[in-house]
C-alpha cells in the first residue's frame, strides 16, 4: 500500500472521528413571552428548528430574553452553561465551551406545553436542562417516544435532577426537591451537593419530526421558578462519511499540488 493511500486512509479516519461530536442547537432568534407569543427558531446540524408555547389556560410558562442570568436566553453561542462535564454529558465527543440556550420562567399555576418542530426527522435527540427549579417536564405527549435515558445529572435521590424516564405513563424529569434551589450563574459549575436545582442531560429515544413536553410544577404552591434548556444530536454516519471523504479529497489535492510544485523546482 502506497504512503499516499495510507495517509489518505488515516486522514479520513481522523476526520470522521473528529466530527463525531454532538451538534448543539444554534439559535437564530428568541421571542420573549408566554402562550401564543413566546417562540424561538434556529438550526440543528442543518435541520431547521422552531419552538412555541402551545395555547393553554391559564398561561404560566414563558420564554425569556437574552442575558446572563440563570433563566436568560443566549443566541450567540457564548454561554458556558452546558460545558460542565460534572453534570452534562452528550452521547459522543466532548462538551462545547459555549452554546445557545432557551431561558424560561414558570409561574407554577398550570401545565403549559412546549412544542419543538424539526424540518427533517431527528433521532435520539438529547435534552440538556439547567437550574430546573420547581419544574417538571413531562414527555408522554411526544409521539414515537419509547423511553428516556439519563446520560448524566446531579441527582442524589433527594436533591437535583429526579429522573423517571422508564415509567411508561409518566416519562418525565423534575426538580427532586422543589422546596430548595440554588442561584448558580452559568459561569460557574452547577452544584452536585447540598440544596440545589436540577441539571442534566436526557436522551429521548426515537425518531421525531416534533417534540412536545408539558411544563408544570413539581409539588404544591405557585412559586416562580426558571432555568434554561437546549438540545443536541449526533451527526448521522452518512454525513460524517461525506465530511471525511471531502477532507480526504482535499488532502489529496493539496498533496498533488505539493508534488507538482516540487517537480518544477
Amino acid at each position: 500500500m502506497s504512503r499516499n493511500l495510507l495517509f489518505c486512509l488515516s486522514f479520513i479516519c481522523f476526520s470522521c472521528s473528529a466530527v463525531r461530536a454532538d451538534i448543539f442547537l444554534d439559535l437564530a432568534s428568541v421571542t420573549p413571552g408566554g402562550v401564543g407569543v413566546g417562540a424561538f427558531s434556529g438550526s440543528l446540524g442543518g435541520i431547521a428548528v422552531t419552538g412555541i408555547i402551545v395555547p393553554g389556560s391559564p398561561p404560566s410558562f414563558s420564554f425569556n430574553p437574552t442575558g446572563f442570568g440563570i433563566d436568560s436566553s443566549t443566541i450567540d453561542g457564548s454561554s458556558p452553561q452546558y460545558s460542565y462535564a460534572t453534570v452534562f454529558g452528550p452521547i459522543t465527543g466532548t462538551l462545547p465551551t459555549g452554546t445557545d440556550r432557551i431561558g424560561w420562567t414558570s409561574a407554577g399555576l398550570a401545565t403549559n406545553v412546549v412544542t419543538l418542530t424539526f424540518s427533517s426527522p431527528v433521532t435520539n435527540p438529547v435534552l440538556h436542562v439547567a437550574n430546573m427549579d420547581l419544574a417538571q417536564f413531562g414527555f408522554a405527549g411526544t409521539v414515537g417516544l419509547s423511553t428516556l435515558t439519563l446520560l448524566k445529572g446531579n441527582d442524589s435521590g433527594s436533591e437535583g435532577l429526579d429522573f423517571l424516564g422508564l415509567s411508561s405513563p409518566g416519562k418525565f424529569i423534575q426538580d427532586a426537591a422543589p422546596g430548595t434551589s440554588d442561584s448558580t450563574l452559568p459561569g460557574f459549575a452547577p452544584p452536585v451537593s447540598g440544596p440545589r436545582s436540577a441539571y442534566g442531560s436526557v436522551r429521548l429515544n426515537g425518531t421525531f419530526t416534533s417534540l412536545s413536553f408539558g411544563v408544570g410544577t413539581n409539588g404544591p404552591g405557585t412559586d416562580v421558578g426558571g432555568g434554561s434548556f437546549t438540545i443536541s444530536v449526533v451527526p448521522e454516519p452518512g454525513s460524517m462519511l461525506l465530511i471525511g471523504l471531502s477532507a480526504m479529497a482535499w488532502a489529496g489535492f493539496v498533496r498533488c499540488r505539493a508534488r507538482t510544485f516540487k517537480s518544477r523546482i
Side-chain angles (χ1 to χ4, degrees), residues 122-125 139-149 163-172 202-208 210-211:
V122 298
T123 299
N124 298 340
F139 299 88
T142 293
V143 177
L145 176 64
S146 57
T147 57
L148 305 179
T149 300
F163 171 74
L164 290 95
L166 299 180
S167 174
S168 66
K171 301 178 176 112
F172 63 89
V202 179
R203 187 174 67 226
L204 285 70
N205 300 308
T207 298
F208 315 97
S210 67
L211 293 172

Side-chain angles (χ1 to χ4, degrees), residues 19 36-37 47 49 54 95 97 100 131 137 154 176 180 209 261 264:
V19 299
V37 177
I47 298 173
V49 183
V54 179
L95 288 165
T97 56
D100 291 338
N131 206 282
F137 289 6
N154 69 336
T180 63
T209 54
F261 178 76
R264 290 178 178 177

Side-chain angles (χ1 to χ4, degrees), residues 173-190:
I173 56 176
Q174 65 184 13
D175 182 10
T180 63
S181 63
D182 68 86
S183 300
T184 305
L185 293 172
F188 299 89

Side-chain angles (χ1 to χ4, degrees), residues 98-207:
T99 59
D100 291 338
R101 57 185 178 136
I102 302 107
W104 57 268
T105 296
S106 176
L109 301 172
T111 297
N112 291 159
V113 175
V114 175
T115 295
L116 281 63
T117 303
F118 309 105
S119 61
S120 299
V122 298
T123 299
N124 298 340
V126 178
L127 179 74
H128 309 270
V129 296
N131 206 282
M132 195 172 157
D133 187 26
L134 299 169
Q136 180 184 97
F137 289 6
F139 299 88
T142 293
V143 177
L145 176 64
S146 57
T147 57
L148 305 179
T149 300
L150 178 63
L151 301 179
K152 189 169 282 189
N154 69 336
D155 175 37
S156 67
S158 60
E159 290 280 356
L161 181 67
D162 187 14
F163 171 74
L164 290 95
L166 299 180
S167 174
S168 66
K171 301 178 176 112
F172 63 89
I173 56 176
Q174 65 184 13
D175 182 10
T180 63
S181 63
D182 68 86
S183 300
T184 305
L185 293 172
F188 299 89
V192 294
S193 62
R196 58 195 184 275
S197 298
Y199 301 77
S201 303
V202 179
R203 187 174 67 226
L204 285 70
N205 300 308
T207 298

Side-chain angles (χ1 to χ4, degrees), residues 16-126:
C16 287
S17 62
V19 299
R20 189 172 172 79
D22 276 27
I23 297 172
F24 277 73
L25 177 64
D26 180 12
L27 285 172
S29 66
V30 174
T31 302
V35 170
V37 177
F40 65 83
S41 64
S43 61
L44 194 60
I47 298 173
V49 183
T50 57
I52 62 170
I53 305 171
V54 179
S57 180
S60 62
F61 183 82
S62 62
F63 295 141
N64 293 333
T66 58
F68 302 99
I70 60 176
D71 56 359
S72 300
S73 297
T74 304
I75 61 173
D76 63 357
S78 64
S79 176
Q81 179 69 81
Y82 299 99
S83 64
Y84 303 103
T86 51
V87 296
F88 299 113
I91 301 172
T92 57
T94 58
L95 288 165
T97 56
T99 59
D100 291 338
R101 57 185 178 136
I102 302 107
W104 57 268
T105 296
S106 176
L109 301 172
T111 297
N112 291 159
V113 175
V114 175
T115 295
L116 281 63
T117 303
F118 309 105
S119 61
S120 299
V122 298
T123 299
N124 298 340
V126 178

